[in-house]
Amino acid sequence: MRILIIQTAFLGDVILTTPLIRRVSEFFPLSEIFFLTTPQGATILQNHPLLREIIIYDKHKTESSLLALYKKARYLKSRKIDIAFLPHRSFRSALLAFLSGIPERVGFRGAIGSVMLTKTVERDLSKHEVERNLSLLSPFTDKIKPAYPEVYPSREDYEFVRRELKEVFADRFGWRVIFAPGSEWATKRYPRIYYAEVGRILLEAGVRYIILIGGKEDRRICEDIQKRIGKRAINVAGLFTPLQSCALMTMCSLLISNDSAPLHMASAVRLPAVGIFGPTTPKFGFGPYGRLVKVVETELDCRPCNPHGPRVCPLRHHMCMRNISPYDVADAAFELLVKRFWLLRTNPELFIFPPK
């Protein structure tokens, strides 16, 4: 049997779909699993042991036309897929699966294009996105076990990170904390001066290094925060691939991030994480997923104002982020660091990566 998973949304969405790969492989043990995603999504799926093929669909650039969609459907038809799972609720994804002639097409009820699906599942808004994605298996089984996201950095990824941060890892003492201050959506970014203040509080209280990560587009934001914090802040934004950033996370103690992909990367490598939420809310189902996680947010009548976070605050005050004190973020960070310290001594298997 050949099974296709289609997820062409953001990087974080791809990470939150990886538990479905695990459970599909267990329920269909002799199947070959294919995963169709964007070029960015493909970067986080490299080395995945359960995937037969990662099929890249560059829907925003080189394959944005209807002709390209038709060609991709012809390619999928040549793969002789038996079942397609569609966590992504887009019309284009449903059309692609339909044109590919895949006999069984499973997605969410009420999604755009659901008329082109053969089986639909209710999307339970009270659950985390990981659990919603796993529910796509419910037409086949009522015994769906929980699962964490998974990523698989290579040995070369680990070696590259250690080379680039040689001085950091030569120092074996003290906590290393990662900051991920970027986001594609401007209103989801915690203010730079607040991040810098959190960094200074943590360093004064015993944290050894602050490491700032992100894409090339986040480089200037991270540089500004680095300068404000001082010499024990290290900016690697734009230097590491997503999998290399995951490798880095396995060698650190904590992540502090906006509502963006690094939160889900941390879940995949079992790294404790503090999520800072402003215009969005974890109630949408995209909060940090795991045992050692904390969400910092403030109550306002105007939030949440958008599922993704608008480009500009509709009320022009951005109080959903500005009202969050750096001391509250630092308190959440220290609470997780202390819990991690004790759990490493009592339940070290919680932090084994990759999990056995």
Side-chain angles (χ1 to χ4, degrees):
M1 178 176 287
R2 292 187 157 198
I3 297 173
L4 173 68
I5 298 173
I6 300 177
Q7 177 55 278
T8 61
F10 296 103
L11 183 65
D13 298 293
V14 175
I15 297 169
L16 295 178
T17 305
T18 57
L20 183 60
I21 302 173
R22 172 65 56 185
R23 295 299 176 242
V24 165
S25 72
E26 293 172 352
F27 188 74
F28 301 99
L30 300 179
S31 64
E32 295 178 315
I33 304 175
F34 299 75
F35 200 112
L36 184 139
T37 188
T38 61
Q40 184 191 41
T43 63
I44 204 69
L45 295 174
Q46 297 298 320
N47 314 314
H48 200 297
L50 299 178
L51 293 180
R52 164 69 188 276
E53 182 183 353
I54 301 169
I55 302 170
I56 296 177
Y57 179 37
D58 193 1
K59 65 178 186 178
H60 294 302
K61 294 182 180 179
T62 61
E63 296 179 292
S64 61
S65 67
L66 285 175
L67 178 60
L69 178 74
Y70 175 70
K71 288 181 177 179
K72 188 63 69 177
R74 286 185 61 187
Y75 177 79
L76 292 177
K77 185 173 289 188
S78 74
R79 310 314 283 164
K80 296 181 170 57
I81 305 295
D82 299 292
I83 305 174
F85 291 98
L86 289 80
H88 191 206
R89 295 169 295 131
S90 78
F91 178 83
R92 180 163 25 190
S93 293
L95 179 60
L96 185 58
F98 177 78
L99 292 176
S100 302
I102 300 171
E104 292 279 9
R105 303 178 297 277
V106 187
F108 289 111
R109 193 171 302 134
I112 300 174
S114 59
V115 68
M116 291 179 281
L117 304 176
T118 59
K119 288 183 171 67
T120 58
V121 175
E122 190 66 35
R123 188 170 182 265
D124 190 340
L125 298 181
S126 69
K127 293 183 177 179
H128 194 278
E129 184 71 359
V130 165
E131 296 158 356
R132 292 195 288 246
N133 289 339
L134 289 173
S135 73
L136 291 175
L137 275 169
S138 60
F140 304 95
T141 178
D142 58 357
K143 298 178 180 178
I144 304 172
K145 296 186 295 184
Y148 277 102
E150 298 179 21
V151 293
Y152 293 89
S154 67
R155 179 179 296 179
E156 290 75 20
D157 290 328
Y158 285 101
E159 290 174 350
F160 181 78
V161 171
R162 289 191 183 99
R163 278 199 309 272
E164 293 299 321
L165 295 173
K166 185 176 180 180
E167 293 183 7
V168 171
F169 296 116
D171 186 347
R172 297 180 178 273
F173 299 98
W175 288 313
R176 308 180 192 105
V177 174
I178 299 175
F179 283 5
S183 173
E184 182 166 340
W185 312 93
T187 55
K188 290 167 74 171
R189 299 179 198 142
Y190 192 49
R192 304 180 193 187
I193 57 173
Y194 287 18
Y195 260 114
E197 183 62 20
V198 173
R200 286 193 290 266
I201 295 169
L202 295 181
L203 290 173
E204 288 173 5
V207 168
R208 190 63 178 164
Y209 290 102
I210 303 293
I211 305 172
L212 296 117
I213 67 169
K216 293 179 180 178
E217 66 279 6
D218 303 315
R219 185 80 188 174
R220 292 181 64 184
I221 294 174
C222 291
E223 282 179 353
D224 185 31
I225 297 170
Q226 177 191 28
K227 290 176 182 177
R228 294 174 185 270
I229 294 176
K231 62 180 181 180
R232 280 194 283 157
I234 300 167
N235 178 17
V236 295
L239 179 62
F240 296 151
T241 67
L243 276 182
Q244 288 166 351
S245 293
C246 290
L248 170 64
M249 288 182 182
T250 67
M251 297 179 267
C252 293
S253 307
L254 178 78
L255 168 76
I256 299 177
S257 173
N258 304 323
D259 173 18
S260 58
L263 273 184
H264 311 311
M265 294 159 66
S267 296
V269 300
R270 315 299 187 264
L271 178 70
V274 175
I276 306 172
F277 282 71
T280 58
T281 171
K283 293 178 182 179
F284 289 153
F286 296 91
Y289 193 70
R291 291 188 58 173
L292 287 181
V293 297
K294 292 281 291 184
V295 170
V296 185
E297 57 187 337
T298 187
E299 294 299 324
L300 289 172
D301 291 339
C302 58
R303 70 174 292 267
C305 63
N306 189 285
H308 296 293
R311 299 291 179 188
V312 178
C313 172
L315 300 179
R316 298 298 193 272
H317 56 55
H318 203 209
M319 297 304 290
C320 60
M321 282 297 196
R322 293 171 61 192
N323 278 2
I324 298 175
S325 165
Y327 287 94
D328 290 338
V329 177
D331 284 346
F334 280 119
E335 181 180 335
L336 290 183
L337 287 169
V338 170
K339 285 183 178 179
R340 177 181 180 272
F341 176 83
W342 287 111
L343 284 172
L344 276 171
R345 283 149 181 78
T346 57
N347 297 96
E349 66 277 2
L350 294 176
F351 302 95
I352 294 174
F353 177 80
K356 295 181 179 180

